């Protein structure tokens, strides 16, 4: 294998790639379509939530002070608040006012009647004949009540621009009657695998007596990309200079906003990808000091970003996490940082100064600590190093490995 004449650092590669980011436009969509979309506005509540004081338990609405001193041997007696003439049972309970010594039955979620300030739970009471109540335990005012605006106050900010919306965020939008939200449009990314040896997993594993390698990358890249952008899996292209160029041109014509192309990305005799990109547009960098993932490049064709990614699946994932993901996040206005877990390295992890390492680790959890066990493999063709791992550790360029017992930050999969 020919070697790269010069590798650039991850930091430099990121800086160059990010300088080429064009933020996607905003669009307004219905809130229930917004899962995993990135918010393009700050969301403030236009209402108090809950909108009124309500019972948090089934029981009886009372004035808390009226129950003071109650005990099993010395219960407090209250009388049922009789409704004014003409009021029907089903009418708004707020019409009725609880005065000293009154009670009214109430169910969870119902508005608290005027004058009451607490709910005494069923289990501490006995109702006699439907019009008197014995209370065996006092409740302080405010007990078992959720107050108006207790969750969110009118005008309060709840979700910030740049947040990727989760299930409970959609719940929050629903609770505030915010039926549409502004989000960043998803960019469409074409995904191509190159390689004569490749075959789609739903085709035959053996073709004309020749054993094939399954195309892994386009599926993995589509799944990774799909969390934030819109992947468009184009499939396999042969190791042929003209065919690769054609595929790039065609995909960019098919309104792709960018491309992720893997395989044939190094500087060998049968590696055409980088040259094809350079021929069609500009190859901005090629060869990054990351391991795995050295044969990674980035170019711009027709004003659109094109990532040149390694063939080995683990190397492609490494390049995605280290370079493509930050690019996609910036493009979609995502401001969230991935949360990390602090763990103790359970073994020494060697790494050379001058290169960033992407180390797959298994997390072991003891009572007090997480331990990160590096998965020892040679070669980035070992996909099981991914499936056996829980996440990864990045060993920065200027660091000469990690000592056994040293603290590391683990980024957990599924993001
Ligand atoms: P290359 O970068 O094309 O030299 O490929 C390096 C290694 O990765 C070779 O063993 C390829 O067979 C393998 N490879 C390339 N592309 C893919 C892909 N899409 N899926 C799985 N393996 C691949
Ligand atoms: Mg190849």
């Amino acid at each position: 294998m020919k070697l790269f004449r010069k590798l650039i650092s991850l930091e430099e590669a990121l800086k160059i790639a990010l300088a080429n980011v064009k933020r996607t436009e905003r669009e307004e969509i219905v809130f229930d379509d917004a899962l995993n979309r990135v918010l393009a506005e700050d969301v403030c509540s236009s209402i108090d939530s809950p909108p009124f004081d309500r019972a948090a338990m089934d029981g009886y609405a009372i004035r808390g002070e009226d129950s003071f001193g109650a005990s099993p041997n010395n219960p407090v007696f209250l009388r049922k608040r009789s409704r004014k003439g003409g009021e029907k049972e089903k009418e708004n309970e707020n019409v009725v006012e609880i005065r000293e010594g009154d009670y009214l039955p109430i169910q969870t979620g119902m508005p608290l009647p005027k004058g009451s300030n607490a709910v005494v739970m069923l289990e501490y009471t006995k109702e006699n004949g439907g019009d008197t109540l014995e209370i065996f335990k006092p409740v302080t005012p405010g007990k078992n009540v959720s107050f108006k605006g207790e969750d969110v106050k009118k005008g309060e900010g709840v979700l910030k621009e740049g947040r990727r919306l989760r299930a409970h965020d959609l719940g929050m939008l629903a609770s505030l009657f915010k039926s549409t939200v502004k989000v960043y449009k998803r960019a469409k990314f074409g995904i191509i695998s190159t390689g004569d040896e490749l075959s789609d997993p739903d085709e035959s594993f053996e073709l004309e007596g020749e054993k094939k390698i399954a195309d892994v990358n386009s599926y993995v890249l589509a799944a990774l990309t799909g969390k934030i952008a819109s992947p468009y899996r184009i499939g396999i292209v042969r190791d042929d200079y003209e065919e690769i160029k054609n595929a790039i041109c065609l995909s960019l014509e098919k309104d792709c906003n960018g491309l992720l192309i893997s395989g044939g990305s190094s500087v060998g005799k049968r590696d055409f990808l980088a040259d094809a990109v350079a021929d069609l547009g500009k190859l901005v960098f090629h060869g990054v000091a990351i391991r795995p993932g050295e044969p990674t490049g980035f170019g711009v064709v027709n004003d659109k970003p094109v990532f040149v990614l390694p063939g080995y699946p683990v190397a492609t994932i490494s390049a995605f996490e280290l370079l493509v993901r930050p690019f996609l996040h910036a493009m979609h206005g995502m401001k969230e940082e991935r949360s990390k877990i602090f763990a103790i390295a359970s073994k020494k992890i060697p790494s050379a100064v001058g290169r960033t390492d992407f180390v797959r680790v298994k997390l072991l959890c003891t009572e007090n600590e997480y331990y990160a066990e590096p998965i020892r493999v040679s070669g980035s063709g070992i996909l099981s190093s991914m499936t056996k791992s829980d996440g990864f550790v990045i060993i920065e360029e200027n660091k000469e490995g990690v000592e056994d017992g040293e603290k590391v930050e683990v980024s957990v999969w599924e993001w």
Side-chain angles (χ1 to χ4, degrees):
M1 186 177 100
K2 270 199 270 173
L3 295 175
F4 285 93
R5 253 177 293 133
K6 188 174 169 288
L7 298 174
I8 63 167
S9 69
L10 174 63
E11 193 187 351
E12 208 179 325
L14 260 176
K15 210 170 99 194
I16 297 170
L18 292 178
N20 284 282
V21 164
K22 284 198 201 76
R23 177 77 66 87
T24 62
E25 286 168 16
R26 290 160 199 243
E27 62 178 336
E28 188 154 2
I29 60 171
V30 292
F31 83 98
D32 49 330
D33 281 345
L35 186 65
N36 286 330
R37 300 294 298 268
V38 181
L39 255 187
E41 62 174 329
D42 288 334
V43 174
C44 292
S45 179
S46 60
I47 57 166
D48 282 312
S49 176
F52 46 79
D53 297 346
R54 62 184 182 185
M57 290 282 176
D58 289 342
Y60 301 94
I62 64 165
R63 292 165 12 113
E65 356 3 346
D66 291 351
S67 68
F68 289 171
S71 71
N73 293 330
N74 192 15
V76 161
F77 286 85
L78 301 182
R79 65 180 175 275
K80 191 168 181 178
R81 173 74 189 136
S82 60
R83 287 161 198 282
K84 286 177 246 153
E87 281 174 13
K88 292 186 208 92
E89 268 303 317
K90 286 282 166 208
E91 272 182 22
N92 186 353
E93 298 286 332
N94 272 323
V95 175
V96 182
E97 188 170 346
I98 297 288
R99 298 199 204 103
E100 193 177 340
D102 289 345
Y103 79 89
L104 258 184
I106 196 163
Q107 272 85 51
T108 307
M110 277 168 65
L112 217 60
K114 203 170 157 197
S116 66
N117 58 20
V119 174
V120 57
M121 284 162 72
L122 283 175
E123 36 274 69
Y124 304 122
T125 61
K126 191 172 140 216
E127 203 177 15
N128 305 314
D131 56 3
T132 54
L133 185 71
E134 281 180 67
I135 300 179
F136 306 114
K137 199 178 164 188
V139 284
T140 46
K143 187 86 183 161
N144 301 325
V145 176
S146 64
F147 288 100
K148 174 179 169 177
E150 174 189 78
D151 189 356
V152 179
K153 292 202 171 38
K154 187 173 171 176
E156 190 180 327
V158 282
L159 298 167
K160 280 220 166 298
E161 192 236 324
R163 178 182 177 92
R164 185 162 66 188
L165 294 168
R166 304 173 170 91
H168 46 257
D169 297 334
L170 302 194
M172 175 58 82
L173 294 170
S175 79
L176 303 178
F177 290 85
K178 180 145 174 67
S179 57
T180 63
V181 270
K182 291 198 187 81
V183 294
Y184 290 104
K185 275 192 180 166
R186 280 175 179 253
K188 181 173 168 184
F189 265 78
I191 297 169
I192 302 175
S193 292
T194 71
D196 288 340
E197 75 286 17
L198 300 178
S199 182
D200 197 80
D202 68 7
E203 282 169 18
S204 177
F205 144 84
E206 207 170 319
L207 238 124
E208 290 157 12
E210 196 187 333
K211 294 209 170 58
K212 297 298 223 180
I213 298 288
D215 167 24
V216 170
N217 294 350
S218 75
Y219 289 94
V220 173
L221 289 170
L224 287 167
T225 303
K227 271 280 178 97
I228 187 115
S230 215
Y232 175 64
R233 230 181 38 77
I234 292 160
I236 302 163
V237 175
R238 291 199 306 122
D239 284 316
D240 179 283
Y241 191 63
E242 291 305 322
E243 280 192 32
I244 292 173
K245 279 200 340 186
N246 275 340
I248 295 176
C249 292
L250 269 174
S251 339
L252 291 178
E253 272 165 29
K254 281 207 176 99
D255 45 83
C256 287
N257 307 104
L259 293 178
L260 307 180
I261 316 175
S262 71
S265 71
S266 196
V267 289
K269 259 213 322 273
R270 301 211 33 91
D271 292 328
F272 303 118
L273 186 50
D275 286 344
V277 172
D279 197 357
L280 292 169
K282 187 172 176 212
L283 184 67
V284 188
F285 62 77
H286 187 211
V288 185
I290 56 175
R291 189 151 113 180
E294 209 171 83
T296 293
F298 175 80
V300 179
V301 178
N302 292 358
D303 227 17
K304 292 171 180 175
V306 178
F307 280 92
V308 167
L309 298 170
Y312 282 118
V314 180
T316 250
I317 295 169
S318 163
F320 184 94
E321 291 298 342
L322 298 176
L323 269 166
V324 184
R325 183 189 290 285
F327 186 92
L328 291 179
H329 284 187
M331 196 173 181
H332 292 81
M334 170 122 153
K335 290 186 182 147
E336 271 181 80
E337 290 279 323
R338 185 177 201 141
S339 46
K340 294 188 176 129
I341 288 178
F342 284 98
I344 295 169
S346 67
K347 273 184 196 145
K348 186 182 164 79
I349 313 173
S351 165
V353 170
R355 142 192 120 204
T356 304
D357 275 54
F358 172 84
V359 182
R360 282 79 67 211
V361 295
K362 175 132 199 74
L363 279 174
L364 308 163
C365 182
T366 65
E367 214 168 284
N368 308 311
E369 300 278 9
Y370 277 111
Y371 286 87
E373 165 132 0
I375 295 183
R376 296 239 157 134
V377 284
S378 50
S380 39
I382 312 294
L383 199 50
S384 54
S385 74
M386 299 291 304
T387 53
K388 283 178 188 154
S389 68
D390 297 306
F392 62 90
V393 169
I394 289 172
I395 303 178
E396 282 170 13
E397 197 191 351
N398 54 13
K399 228 173 137 22
E400 201 185 337
V402 167
E403 291 303 320
D404 180 357
E406 204 177 316
K407 230 177 196 165
V408 290
E409 284 183 14
V410 181
S411 302
V412 181
W413 298 128
E414 274 321 313
W415 201 45

